[in-house]
């Protein structure tokens, strides 16, 4: 969707107005009183995300007016504005309008963050994964939105719109990767996409290294190779690197990229497998970050490390009871081949450790337990540095992505002791603290520096359309990661 900025309302396209509940009024709008009276006549009260469509008589600022309720004024946050933006897009779409205007409501203390949230709401709801639908030629409506802001805010609004567009479009790019069928989005195809992302960033100090099976074996990545054994598709490790001049800090982003998780020989039940094309969402979000990096140029060195393979139960598949040796020399007894994410991350984290980054962030759809604990809107976070968690949480607050910390209780490590290897891939205490166990396992492969593990099993995927999220991949936590990088 094209987004314009203006400080004038035009009569030509529909006008969206945001209205609070209780003190229902429209400031600075000619005919505002009349419009509201008509809306009330339709039963509109300003309730959160309710809408009313009106065709006011001459004298009004536009011939078609759409009111979107924001609910009680005292509860309005930037997330309300983001969601109201999505409501506006859907309403205008249902009216088959090509373009519309939306008056920035000026309700938040910080006007730039309000415009930022509004733009994100518009861009994120301008998404559909319809390339496999027969009528894919149909253009998504609306095609154009104009934000109306008062003249004194135009300059800062321009910056907010620019940033929101880049970040939200990167999130939509990630959604596409996650939504693609698993037989298309193989490890090899993700490598091709990583190369495309690199080509775009080449002139902005981005480089790429791609490790194939033989190199992985040479580096001693027995854990990633073990997971790959049951698959007909070759594994890869991708290392993207952005090094701007004068950077004083470095961050390594490490992503789980299981392009399909069947569970391996510890096969998942059919229903649990239905969404397992999304098990590469962590790796995909890192590609989203690198897609945006050349445009926003953060002042920090960034490594993106993607561990890519399928987890399949082929004839050569790794088996419960097998012992794998990771790159850092630790041996792992595999008791459940469905706990494969931690195995591929073991090698990817050990690889990242060799780069000696100041901060390591791993991103993984790691445990179903995290969905049980925090639901589908909140990611679990575990690590060795509370300040780093707070920075991530704050970056998330800027874009409506939520994180909650879980404690890495070291006593629980007892359950990971193996009688035959250095560590097991699942705990002998089966039904407890599954997400924390995953974090404790990963910790054994982190080599120094500040580290945080983000378990995105819940929020990487949405079972249904929800405000600005469409059904399927959500793009989580691409926008948070970018805000975090910009905050350094
Ligand atoms: N990819 C899954 C986790 C997952 C589940 C992500 C549901 C998104 C939605 C992961 O590889 C897995 O299967 N984990 C197991 C771990 C268990 C065997 C210790 C799980 O969560 O059951
Ligand atoms: Zn699994
Ligand atoms: Zn998995």
């Amino acid at each position: 969707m094209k987004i314009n900025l203006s400080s004038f309302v035009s009569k030509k396209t529909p006008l969206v107005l945001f209205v609070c509940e209780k003190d229902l009024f429209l400031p600075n709008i000619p005919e505002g009183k009349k419009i509201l009276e008509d809306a009330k006549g339709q039963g509109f009260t300003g309730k959160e995300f309710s809408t009313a469509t009106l065709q006011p008589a001459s004298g009004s600022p536009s011939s078609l007016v759409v009111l979107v309720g924001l609910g009680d004024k005292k509860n309005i946050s930037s997330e309300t504005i983001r969601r109201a933006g999505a409501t506006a897009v859907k309403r205008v779409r249902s009216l088959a309008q090509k373009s519309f205007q939306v008056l920035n409501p000026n309700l938040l203390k910080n006007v730039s963050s309000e415009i930022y949230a509004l733009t994100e709401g518009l861009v994120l709801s301008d998404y559909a994964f319809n390339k496999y639908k027969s009528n894919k030629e149909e253009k998504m409506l609306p095609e154009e939105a104009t934000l109306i802001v008062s003249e004194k805010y135009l300059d800062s609004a321009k910056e907010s719109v620019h940033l929101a567009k880049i970040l939200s479009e990167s999130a939509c790019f990630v959604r596409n990767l996650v939504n693609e069928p698993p037989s298309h989005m193989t490890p090899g195809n993700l490598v091709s996409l990583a190369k495309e992302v690199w080509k775009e960033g080449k002139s902005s100090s981005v480089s790429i290294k791609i490790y194939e099976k033989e190199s992985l074996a040479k580096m001693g990545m027995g854990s990633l190779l073990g997971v790959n054994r049951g698959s007909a598709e070759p594994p890869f490790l991708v290392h993207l690197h952005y090094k701007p001049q004068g950077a004083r800090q470095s961050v390594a982003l490490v992503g789980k990229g299981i392009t399909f998780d069947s569970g391996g020989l510890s096969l998942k039940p059919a229903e649990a497998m239905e969404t397992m094309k999304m098990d590469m969402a962590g790796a995909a979000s890192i590609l989203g970050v690198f897609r945006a990096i050349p445009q926003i140029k953060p002042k920090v060195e960034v490594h993106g490390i993607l561990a890519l393979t399928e987890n399949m139960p082929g004839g050569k598949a790794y088996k419960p009871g097998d012992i794998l040796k990771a790159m850092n020399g630790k041996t792992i007894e595999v008791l459940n081949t469905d706990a494969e994410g931690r195995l591929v991350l073991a090698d990817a984290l050990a690889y990242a450790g060799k780069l000696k980054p100041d901060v390591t962030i791993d991103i993984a759809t790691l445990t179903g337990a995290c969905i049980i604990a925090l639901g589908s809107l909140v990611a679990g976070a575990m690590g060795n540095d509370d300040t780093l968690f707070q920075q991530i949480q704050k970056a998330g607050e800027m874009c409506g992505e939520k994180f909650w910390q879980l404690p890495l209780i070291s006593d629980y490590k007892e359950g990971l002791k193996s009688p035959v290897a250095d560590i097991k891939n699942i705990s002998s205490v089966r039904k407890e603290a599954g997400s924390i166990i995953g974090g404790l396992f990963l910790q054994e492969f982190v080599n120094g520096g500040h580290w945080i593990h983000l378990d995105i099993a819940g929020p990487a995927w949405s079972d249904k359309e929800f405000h600005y999220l469409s059904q399927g991949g959500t793009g989580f936590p691409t926008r948070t990661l970018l805000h975090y990088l910009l905050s350094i």
Side-chain angles (χ1 to χ4, degrees):
M1 189 187 311
K2 187 163 185 280
I3 313 256
N4 312 308
L5 272 166
S6 171
S7 45
F8 303 100
V9 176
S10 136
K11 272 208 178 290
K12 286 185 193 139
T13 63
L15 175 65
V16 175
L17 299 169
F18 292 146
V19 193
C20 300
E21 202 174 6
K22 288 185 184 159
D23 49 336
L24 207 62
F25 81 112
L26 286 176
N28 307 328
I29 291 288
E31 295 292 296
K33 248 189 170 160
K34 175 82 176 56
I35 292 172
L36 262 186
E37 262 164 33
D38 291 354
K40 277 187 206 163
Q42 289 184 24
F44 180 80
T45 61
K47 194 173 160 275
E48 233 185 2
F49 315 128
S50 63
T51 60
T53 309
L54 305 134
Q55 284 176 297
S58 61
S60 100
S62 178
S63 54
L64 193 60
V65 172
V66 174
L67 301 187
V68 174
L70 294 177
D72 195 335
K73 196 170 183 172
K74 61 177 191 290
N75 298 331
I76 291 171
S77 65
S78 60
E79 181 63 7
T80 316
I81 303 293
R82 193 176 287 106
R83 293 178 178 192
T87 309
V89 169
K90 286 180 214 174
R91 193 75 200 101
V92 172
R93 184 174 297 151
S94 74
L95 296 167
Q97 297 289 323
K98 274 197 175 166
S99 51
F100 69 105
Q101 312 165 75
V102 50
L103 186 69
N104 185 62
N106 279 357
L107 286 166
L108 300 185
K109 278 198 197 97
N110 186 335
V111 181
S112 343
S113 67
E114 183 171 350
I115 291 166
Y116 173 82
L118 177 54
T119 309
E120 277 197 327
L122 302 182
V123 178
L124 290 169
S125 43
D126 178 34
Y127 176 84
F129 186 73
N130 52 14
K131 68 185 269 201
Y132 295 97
K133 293 252 194 194
S134 307
N135 62 349
K136 59 175 169 278
E137 294 305 323
E138 222 172 77
K139 271 233 163 175
M140 268 274 273
L141 291 179
E143 290 164 6
E144 193 173 346
T146 303
L147 308 191
I148 313 291
V149 299
S150 42
E151 204 164 350
K152 61 178 173 191
Y153 295 132
L154 268 181
D155 283 339
S156 73
K158 214 171 160 182
E159 276 175 38
S160 306
V161 168
H162 181 68
L163 184 66
K165 271 201 82 172
I166 295 170
L167 269 55
S168 312
E169 281 167 5
S170 288
C172 290
F173 165 81
V174 174
R175 290 177 182 180
N176 277 340
L177 305 192
V178 173
N179 289 335
E180 194 67 36
S183 298
H184 290 232
M185 196 48 66
T186 57
N189 262 320
L190 264 175
V191 168
S192 308
L193 280 158
K195 280 187 198 159
E196 277 176 34
V197 167
W198 159 69
K199 275 181 200 150
E200 289 293 315
K202 222 172 13 177
S203 55
S204 315
S205 329
V206 177
S207 60
I208 191 168
K209 274 190 206 144
I210 293 155
Y211 297 96
E212 298 183 7
K213 201 166 173 177
E214 296 70 36
S215 327
L216 300 176
K218 265 189 210 144
M219 289 191 291
M221 294 201 177
S223 195
L224 169 58
L225 287 169
V227 173
N228 176 254
R229 280 199 335 234
S231 167
E233 298 288 340
F236 294 95
L237 187 110
V238 174
H239 177 184
L240 285 154
H241 183 203
Y242 164 69
K243 191 169 188 188
Q245 266 181 4
R248 275 179 293 155
Q249 278 207 65
S250 59
V251 176
L253 305 174
V254 180
K256 170 177 174 181
I258 301 293
T259 59
F260 186 72
D261 183 10
S262 70
L265 287 172
S266 313
L267 198 66
K268 285 184 185 292
E271 224 177 283
M273 225 186 276
E274 282 176 9
T275 57
M276 280 304 125
K277 66 176 182 182
M278 60 83 100
D279 215 19
M280 35 60 87
S285 73
I286 297 176
L287 287 186
V289 167
F290 273 83
R291 180 196 172 278
I293 276 179
Q295 301 174 68
I296 62 170
K297 298 189 171 53
K299 294 184 180 69
V300 54
E301 183 177 353
V302 189
H303 297 282
I305 297 143
L306 283 56
L308 306 174
T309 176
E310 292 182 331
N311 184 25
M312 295 290 279
K316 290 202 159 66
Y318 75 141
K319 307 166 187 76
D322 273 344
I323 296 175
L324 307 175
K325 189 171 186 176
M327 188 189 184
N328 68 352
K330 288 195 185 176
T331 55
I332 307 162
E333 184 188 12
V334 177
L335 289 182
N336 189 318
T337 62
D338 196 12
E340 85 298 339
R342 60 198 72 181
L343 296 175
V344 305
L345 286 176
D347 278 333
L349 283 167
Y351 177 93
K354 296 215 165 198
L355 307 168
K356 298 265 170 252
D358 298 301
V359 172
T360 302
I361 304 176
D362 75 73
I363 308 118
T365 45
L366 206 73
T367 63
C370 208
I371 313 178
I372 306 288
L374 299 172
S376 61
L377 292 177
V378 186
M382 288 145 261
N384 59 14
D385 180 3
D386 286 346
T387 311
L388 175 58
F389 168 69
Q390 281 151 14
Q391 287 169 328
I392 293 286
Q393 198 178 40
K394 199 166 155 221
E397 275 164 17
M398 302 186 78
C399 56
E401 295 186 327
K402 295 177 190 68
F403 298 83
W404 200 253
Q405 203 172 9
L406 301 174
L408 285 178
I409 306 290
S410 56
D411 291 329
Y412 296 172
K413 265 199 282 201
E414 195 62 27
L416 286 171
K417 280 199 175 143
S418 161
V420 290
D422 298 335
I423 193 169
K424 287 194 302 211
N425 82 328
I426 56 167
S427 169
S428 13
V429 190
R430 298 283 160 134
K431 289 210 162 90
E432 275 183 23
S435 305
I436 294 174
I437 295 292
L440 287 167
F441 180 95
L442 295 179
Q443 192 169 34
E444 296 299 310
F445 299 87
V446 176
N447 183 17
H450 307 278
W451 161 68
I452 192 163
H453 156 57
L454 304 178
D455 192 333
I456 60 164
W461 181 265
S462 184
D463 283 329
K464 53 179 193 320
E465 185 180 301
F466 183 71
H467 301 288
Y468 51 83
L469 300 179
S470 48
Q471 187 278 332
T474 59
F476 192 100
T478 311
R479 290 176 295 126
T480 297
L481 293 172
L482 288 163
H483 274 293
Y484 168 71
L485 295 176
L486 286 174
S487 76
I488 300 177

